[in-house]
Amino acid sequence: MATPVTPPRGMRDFLPADKASREHALAVIRRSFAAHGFDEIETPVMEDAARLHSGLGGDNEKLAFAVLKRGLKPTDAAAAAESGDLLGLADLGLRFDLTVPLARFYATHRAELPTVFRSIQIAPVWRAERPQKGRYRQFVQCDIDIIGESGLLAEIELITATAAALDALGLTGCSIRVNDRRILTTLLAHWRVAPELNERALIVIDKLDKIGVDGVVTELAGLGIATDGVADTLSQIADAGWTAAEPTPPVWLDTDAFADLLALRAAMPEVRLVFDPTLVRGMGYYTGTIFEISHPDLGYSLGGGGRYDGMIGRFLGTEVPACGFSIGFERIVDLLGVDAASAENAVVLVYDKGTDPARLVALKRTLVEQGLRVRLEQRTKNVKALLERAAGAGYGRYAFVGADASGAGELDFRPLGG
């Protein structure tokens, strides 16, 4: 039996119809982001290994694919194994997200960029994940970021542009959950969590929807955190909404951060914002507002982001405010249907054997000049199978072309896949 020939684990091939759907969705997202004043950039797929493992990428750093140095010898591998520093064998690595490359890009090109820089990055990233449904080792991220704007204008522009992109894609029913890291910090202080345990405690809180209040209390206790009153506070938080500060703010609520979120909501009445004080966002580099896209039919987010004011300063030595929003493209594209307009404009000419090639090319040229996408297919005995393949490839109409065919105006186009 022949060995199956498949892509590497966690990576995928895309047939023409899938590729067409993906490119259509990417084009919609690009147009929407560009309309809101963002400019697209491109960064290398690899960065210096030291930069990818500098503490900016959180847990994703553990999933980075390393690229070995050239000219390594067995003695180098033995020395690295003996010292336990296997990463020392690598000088480059595949990017695991687009935020770290953006921070490096800005540090490199700051003098050539505007004071407030609005960027688009749409590109693949790589993580050494354990492959499973909806989780891949290579996937596309669609990021917009604003660097240099410290006020709420950055969050407003990012959320507005992202909501517009979702609308343009035809995704309905989405909402955007918002929180602020300052609220989470105040919550942990209320529980008297030691600062060095803050990040680990936040990881536990982030699992609230999966393990429930009792599970969170148990795991916090396992970290050595006193859990008196934690269950009661979590129950209060579960019922919190935009009236959380009325009539009196609870002790766990950072009122300044909440006031900013209220201002954010007031600035975007057309966007459905949901205050969720348990929203964490796993990356440790977030410093302020955080947000995620939710869909009523899904148990996972469709994207997210937040403010990460401390990251770029790691490269420049001076603080630069930054905020970003990333659409989870792989999850969103699975929700989209076929682009009906593109299919309608894609036609197949099924020609008889013996048809003059010059005549076929002339017909095709005429249709292409009319703005159609045209494929030529020679008629087979099983025409039904031929037409089904064409429909599956994203073509919407077909016409038979006889050996005596003359002009394009005589073609009788019929719908495919109906």
Side-chain angles (χ1 to χ4, degrees):
M1 181 180 295
T3 302
V5 180
T6 60
R9 289 190 66 226
M11 301 181 183
R12 298 168 291 165
D13 293 324
F14 296 103
L15 292 170
D18 297 323
K19 180 64 174 173
S21 294
R22 291 171 68 85
E23 290 301 321
H24 166 69
L26 290 171
V28 170
I29 293 170
R30 277 191 169 95
R31 284 197 303 270
S32 185
F33 286 165
H36 285 261
F38 291 81
D39 297 311
E40 189 162 3
I41 64 170
E42 183 173 330
T43 57
V45 302
M46 292 188 287
E47 293 283 348
D48 289 341
R51 188 169 295 126
L52 291 173
H53 295 273
S54 61
L56 298 178
D59 286 343
N60 286 334
E61 293 188 3
K62 302 173 185 176
L63 303 175
F65 282 102
V67 179
L68 295 178
K69 298 175 182 177
R70 295 181 61 188
L72 288 174
K73 300 173 183 176
T75 52
D76 297 318
E82 183 176 351
S83 67
D85 181 24
L86 294 179
L87 193 58
L89 296 171
D91 57 353
L92 298 171
L94 290 173
R95 62 190 177 202
F96 50 74
D97 71 3
L98 297 176
T99 307
V100 173
L102 174 64
R104 195 273 311 152
F105 174 93
Y106 184 81
T108 302
H109 300 282
R110 184 182 187 186
E112 307 161 66
L113 298 173
T115 304
V116 176
F117 179 50
R118 296 167 175 84
S119 74
I120 303 170
Q121 286 189 96
I122 298 178
V125 299
W126 292 265
R127 294 178 190 170
E129 298 272 13
R130 179 176 289 109
Q132 54 187 289
K133 181 176 174 58
R135 193 176 292 274
Y136 308 105
R137 289 179 171 174
Q138 177 179 317
F139 54 96
V140 171
Q141 286 191 331
C142 301
D143 287 16
I144 48 175
D145 294 81
I146 298 179
I147 301 175
E149 172 56 62
S150 60
L152 279 179
L153 179 61
E155 283 89 336
I156 293 169
E157 285 199 85
L158 289 166
I159 293 174
T160 300
T162 300
L166 297 175
D167 288 342
L169 288 168
L171 285 177
T172 59
C174 291
S175 60
I176 297 178
R177 299 159 59 211
V178 296
N179 195 16
D180 194 296
R181 274 295 179 113
R182 291 172 293 173
I183 291 175
L184 292 167
T185 301
T186 301
L187 174 64
L188 296 180
H190 171 62
W191 288 340
R192 296 183 176 82
V193 175
E196 63 270 19
L197 293 177
N198 275 5
E199 288 303 319
R200 294 174 66 186
L202 289 177
I203 291 171
V204 174
I205 296 171
D206 200 29
K207 296 190 265 185
L208 179 62
D209 59 337
K210 299 181 180 67
I211 63 177
V213 171
D214 291 342
V216 169
V217 171
T218 299
E219 290 202 16
L220 289 177
L223 296 176
I225 296 171
T227 56
D228 293 344
V230 169
D232 291 339
T233 305
L234 288 175
S235 297
Q236 294 173 26
I237 288 176
D239 297 328
W242 290 112
T243 59
E246 300 173 6
T248 304
V251 292
W252 55 263
L253 185 66
D254 184 298
T255 54
D256 289 339
F258 188 62
D260 285 344
L261 294 180
L262 288 171
L264 198 64
R265 180 189 182 216
M268 298 179 290
E270 73 285 358
V271 179
R272 188 181 172 215
L273 295 184
V274 177
F275 172 52
D276 183 355
T278 66
L279 176 63
V280 171
R281 298 290 300 163
M283 305 306 294
Y285 53 63
Y286 289 123
T287 58
T289 318
I290 49 178
F291 25 78
E292 278 190 355
I293 305 168
S294 292
H295 190 280
D297 297 333
L298 303 174
Y300 48 80
S301 72
L302 294 177
R307 180 165 287 280
Y308 53 97
D309 287 344
M311 180 183 286
I312 295 174
R314 296 277 294 274
F315 291 112
L316 290 177
T318 180
E319 292 303 310
V320 179
C323 196
F325 207 150
S326 179
I327 287 178
F329 179 73
E330 306 298 345
R331 290 177 170 179
I332 280 180
V333 75
D334 290 341
L335 297 175
L336 302 177
V338 176
D339 176 26
S342 295
E344 179 66 17
N345 288 326
V347 301
V348 178
L349 300 183
V350 183
Y351 62 90
D352 292 335
K353 184 178 181 181
T355 304
D356 180 11
R359 184 173 295 170
L360 282 173
V361 171
L363 282 173
K364 181 178 181 179
R365 184 186 304 115
T366 300
L367 295 173
V368 168
E369 289 173 351
Q370 294 174 7
L372 298 180
R373 176 183 173 212
V374 185
R375 173 189 283 185
L376 298 175
E377 290 277 5
Q378 182 175 320
R379 187 196 291 258
T380 59
K381 289 183 179 179
N382 190 348
V383 174
K384 181 180 179 182
L386 183 154
L387 297 179
E388 286 176 349
R389 284 197 301 272
Y395 288 82
R397 294 183 294 156
Y398 73 99
F400 290 115
V401 179
D404 58 349
S406 55
E410 298 179 6
L411 296 175
D412 179 22
F413 283 105
R414 305 172 190 179
L416 270 170

